[in-house]
Amino acid sequence: MMMTLPTLYSFRRCPYAMRARLGLYLAKQTVSLREIILKHKPDPMLQASPKGTVPVLILPNGEVIDESLAIMKWALAQHDPQNLLVSATNPKQEAANALIHYNDHSFKPWLDKYKYADRHPQHSQQYYRQQGEVFIAQLESLLNKHSQLLANTACIVDYAIYPFIRQFAHVDKAWFEQSPYPKVQTWLRNHLQSDDFIAIMQKYPTWLDSEQAFIFGQLK
Ligand SMILES: N[C@@H](CCC(=O)N[C@@H](CS)C(=O)NCC(=O)O)C(=O)O
């Protein structure tokens, strides 16, 4: 019997889309991936989610999930072989939510200004970087206690956050490599060198050009 797969609209370099692909991959969920470009969003994606951001996941029953964290949580609720979800009964749940919330609502806006400092001439690039460093320093102090953000094993928080720290590191790699955050450097490097990350960063032709979707996911 042919199974209808969920459809994922994705953009390879978007940290939110990376987060969603990581969630789906680690949950061993298979999806039909449509790679897009942000300047030319496909109509079926905009019909499903008029706000026009990636990632967008459309389930076979028509349900649309258009927030990256919600996609991760949906995927891991289907299957969570590495126990990555932080459950409501886990005393670390509050810390987990707070970190992701800070990442998305405070760190990310500073990261965008740091990355595109020329578009924000009110302050210097260094100023924007320093605002971002508040979060990096917080991660460094957590990683001084354990090798991952909340424990010695990774959880949803690590996967939800590292694509954004990667983007921060890539703005000025030479600066990041000599910055006073050795634990963050090691944590990030290990994730970026992992098989998971390599798998979710595979390149696909865009769906608009090829009208071709690709099966994305790992075998159960
Ligand atoms: N809160 C959303 C944010 C997603 C988001 O902002 N994605 C960016 C790409 S990294 C986007 O699609 N921007 C729309 C655009 O640039 O046109 C989520 O978590 O999924």
Side-chain angles (χ1 to χ4, degrees):
M1 196 179 74
M2 273 275 288
M3 276 241 312
T4 312
L5 295 175
T7 296
L8 179 73
Y9 288 96
S10 182
F11 175 57
R12 182 173 175 272
R13 288 186 291 116
C14 162
Y16 296 101
M18 286 179 203
R19 172 193 270 181
R21 295 197 304 274
L22 278 167
L24 291 161
Y25 187 81
L26 294 163
K28 303 193 177 204
Q29 298 300 299
T30 308
V31 299
S32 172
L33 185 144
R34 296 178 178 183
E35 176 73 13
I36 70 144
I37 43 173
L38 293 172
K39 284 199 186 109
H40 195 180
K41 291 165 192 153
D43 288 338
M45 175 186 138
L46 292 172
Q47 277 152 21
S49 177
K51 75 183 168 99
T53 61
V54 281
V56 176
L57 184 69
I58 306 173
L59 301 181
N61 68 4
E63 190 188 334
V64 176
I65 309 179
D66 61 5
E67 281 293 319
S68 56
L69 190 59
I71 295 174
M72 284 190 111
K73 287 184 177 169
W74 174 83
L76 292 166
Q78 310 309 304
H79 187 52
D80 188 5
Q82 295 180 47
N83 202 15
L84 300 178
L85 279 175
V86 181
S87 72
T89 52
N90 187 324
K92 295 199 166 164
Q93 202 201 34
E94 205 176 314
N97 291 342
L99 275 173
I100 297 174
H101 190 272
Y102 189 93
N103 178 81
D104 289 13
H105 299 281
S106 297
F107 176 70
K108 177 68 164 99
W110 290 124
L111 164 59
D112 288 342
K113 289 192 167 117
Y114 173 39
K115 189 169 174 195
Y116 301 109
D118 51 338
R119 298 182 201 164
H120 302 277
Q122 300 88 326
H123 295 286
S124 66
Q125 186 181 39
Q126 191 190 3
Y127 173 87
Y128 294 129
R129 186 176 70 210
Q130 282 164 351
Q131 307 310 308
E133 278 182 71
V134 174
F135 189 49
I136 307 293
Q138 191 189 347
L139 302 186
E140 182 74 11
S141 77
L142 290 170
L143 294 168
N144 267 317
K145 297 187 204 136
H146 17 69
S147 64
Q148 302 296 321
L149 293 175
L150 295 185
N152 279 323
T153 51
C155 72
I156 187 169
V157 178
D158 299 274
Y159 295 104
I161 289 178
Y162 85 69
F164 297 83
I165 308 306
R166 170 184 181 271
Q167 206 174 45
F168 184 85
H170 282 196
V171 176
D172 183 345
K173 281 186 184 169
W175 175 85
F176 184 76
E177 287 308 324
Q178 60 73 60
S179 69
Y181 310 109
K183 298 284 165 106
V184 176
Q185 289 157 9
T186 303
W187 167 81
L188 181 64
R189 191 178 315 116
N190 288 340
H191 280 293
L192 298 185
Q193 288 173 354
S194 70
D195 292 343
D196 308 328
F197 187 69
I198 291 163
I200 68 121
M201 290 305 278
Q202 193 184 325
K203 287 186 179 160
Y204 300 98
T206 61
W207 186 69
L208 270 184
D209 293 343
S210 60
E211 289 269 326
Q212 201 184 346
F214 295 88
I215 304 295
F216 169 87
Q218 61 175 325
L219 295 176
K220 290 204 174 79

